[in-house]
Amino acid sequence: HSKRQGRNTYTFFNHNMGKEVYQRLLLEEQMLGALSRNEFELHFQPQVCLVSGKMSGVEALLRWTNPVLGAVGPDLFIPIAEESGQIVPIGKFVITEALSAAQAWQQQGLDLRVAVNLSPRQFRDENLTQFILDELNRFELAASVLELEITEGLLLSGHPGVSDALTQLSDAGVSIAMDDFGTGYSSLSYLRRYPFDLVKIDRSFIRDLMLDSADQELVSAAISMAHGLGLSVLAEGVETEAQWARLKAMGCDAIQGFVFSKPIPRDALTRLALAESTRTRQNTDRLPDSH
Ligand code: C2E
Ligand code: MG
Ligand code: MG
Ligand code: MG
């Protein structure tokens, strides 16, 4: 009996492993040509200022649609792109596309900061900082238009270039955000050691915010601590009006989440932002002291 069980277990394990390995190889193989086949696209998710209630920026989020694999989510393909090194050219594409969108918005009178996610692997490319500064120049954008989102994983990697790169970019005027704040072990000490401007509270703390008093305490503490360090705070994954109101009452500076908008293609984001700015202008025009 035990022998049979053993063999079944063995077969089962092997079968699944084979499938996983195969899928991964397929993914890696398809990824190699994906940039040149134009399969990547950026979507943009609004970030809303809780004081003005208006869109203050957007986060660029990468989408991949492949003829063989269909739509592949970033949680699946980004880790593989990191391991294979493909994240370096893909990450450059993301920066270029995000800045191109920022330039177009600026030309349409829209004042939107654009946030881009960076992976640890990208910092092993010694030209990363210069590439970013060159692209900002090429698109004639102030460095303050760009925000870079990094996670604790990057700082844990201990790569010696990271600190210099972050300092150089920050000195140039680029904003630095700590993404997924609260999910790691050493977020607090890193906030002190690196030039952060913003913390993004991970959505796992927001999901049950209205039910869970521990989450309320943690979010509240994170907000006052970040403010004490002179950083601003954005809450991720806000899905309900109730969460929005609570975060505003807690003094959080900004939110991002499905309650305002999902990540959407560039054209759709442009329409949304133009519609908002028209509404705002009309409201101001109607004020009695404006004529
Ligand atoms: P992230 O940077 O923390 O991005 C936020 C994720 O939360 C996005 O998932 C977004 O669609 C999702 N989200 C936003 N609002 C809500 C909400 O109200 N409810 C829920 N349930 N989810 C919400 P997405 O686009 O699937 O991206 C997943 C992760 O993949 C990102 O997490 C980021 O770590 C990574 N990623 C995406 N694009 C890039 C990129 O261009 N470069 C790198 N290095 N990583 C990227
Ligand atoms: Mg992010
Ligand atoms: Mg996040
Ligand atoms: Mg994340």
Side-chain angles (χ1 to χ4, degrees):
H1 178 73
S2 74
K3 198 173 172 188
R4 214 188 82 202
Q5 208 175 35
R7 201 169 74 209
N8 281 347
T9 312
Y10 176 75
T11 311
F12 179 69
F13 178 62
N14 224 354
H15 168 75
N16 271 300
M17 197 178 66
K19 201 171 144 194
E20 256 175 46
V21 167
Y22 172 74
Q23 280 187 336
R24 199 200 149 101
L25 285 175
L26 187 64
L27 222 114
E28 265 183 53
E29 187 198 348
Q30 289 298 315
M31 199 185 289
L32 276 175
L35 264 181
S36 58
R37 289 189 304 262
N38 258 315
E39 292 172 9
F40 290 110
E41 184 194 7
L42 289 188
H43 281 196
F44 296 91
Q45 185 176 34
Q47 301 180 332
V48 184
C49 165
L50 284 175
V51 173
S52 68
K54 286 187 294 191
M55 215 187 293
S56 51
V58 295
E59 178 176 5
L61 293 156
L62 191 56
R63 298 293 178 256
W64 179 24
T65 314
N66 174 267
V68 177
L69 301 161
V72 190
D75 280 331
L76 187 63
F77 74 79
I78 294 281
I80 294 174
E82 277 194 54
E83 281 171 43
S84 71
Q86 276 292 104
I87 193 67
V88 173
I90 294 172
K92 286 183 171 170
F93 166 86
V94 172
I95 290 161
T96 301
E97 284 297 301
L99 293 181
S100 149
Q103 184 192 48
W105 292 326
Q106 212 164 73
Q107 286 166 352
Q108 292 173 88
L110 297 168
D111 187 18
L112 293 174
R113 167 179 290 184
V114 58
V116 168
N117 294 283
L118 287 185
S119 296
R121 180 67 177 75
Q122 291 177 263
F123 283 82
R124 277 204 262 151
D125 171 9
E126 277 163 20
N127 300 317
L128 177 71
T129 306
Q130 201 50 52
F131 176 79
I132 293 172
L133 298 177
D134 287 346
E135 288 296 80
L136 281 164
N137 256 323
R138 187 160 72 90
F139 288 106
E140 301 179 300
L141 291 165
S144 58
V145 161
L146 181 64
E147 187 158 271
L148 298 174
E149 298 192 2
I150 62 172
T151 59
E152 195 183 301
L154 169 69
L155 308 172
L156 275 173
S157 72
H159 184 66
V162 170
S163 180
D164 286 347
L166 290 179
T167 305
Q168 243 182 302
L169 288 162
S170 174
D171 286 349
V174 174
S175 294
I176 314 289
M178 182 176 277
D179 204 353
D180 303 344
F181 181 74
T183 56
Y185 295 105
S186 333
S187 309
L188 291 184
S189 64
Y190 288 131
L191 282 185
R192 194 161 47 102
R193 278 174 29 206
Y194 296 92
F196 286 104
D197 302 283
L198 171 81
V199 299
K200 299 187 72 177
I201 300 178
D202 190 70
R203 70 167 182 266
S204 58
F205 296 96
I206 308 302
R207 192 180 46 227
D208 300 326
L209 186 67
M210 305 311 290
L211 317 165
D212 190 329
S213 61
D215 283 345
Q216 285 165 22
E217 290 299 330
L218 287 169
V219 170
S220 210
I223 292 170
S224 53
M225 182 220 47
H227 283 170
L229 294 171
L231 311 177
S232 65
V233 185
L234 177 146
E236 296 190 278
V238 179
E239 296 187 354
T240 68
E241 301 277 349
Q243 291 166 345
W244 178 324
R246 175 63 62 92
L247 287 160
K248 186 176 174 177
M250 285 172 149
C252 186
D253 302 291
I255 58 154
Q256 185 181 336
F258 296 168
V259 67
F260 190 83
S261 170
K262 293 196 167 182
I264 52 179
R266 174 168 161 174
D267 288 351
L269 193 287
T270 305
R271 284 194 296 276
L272 187 67
L274 283 173
E276 182 187 72
S277 90
T278 307
R279 250 190 341 267
T280 312
R281 255 200 324 274
Q282 281 168 350
N283 288 343
T284 331
D285 289 347
R286 248 183 265 119
L287 289 177
D289 61 351
S290 75
H291 50 79

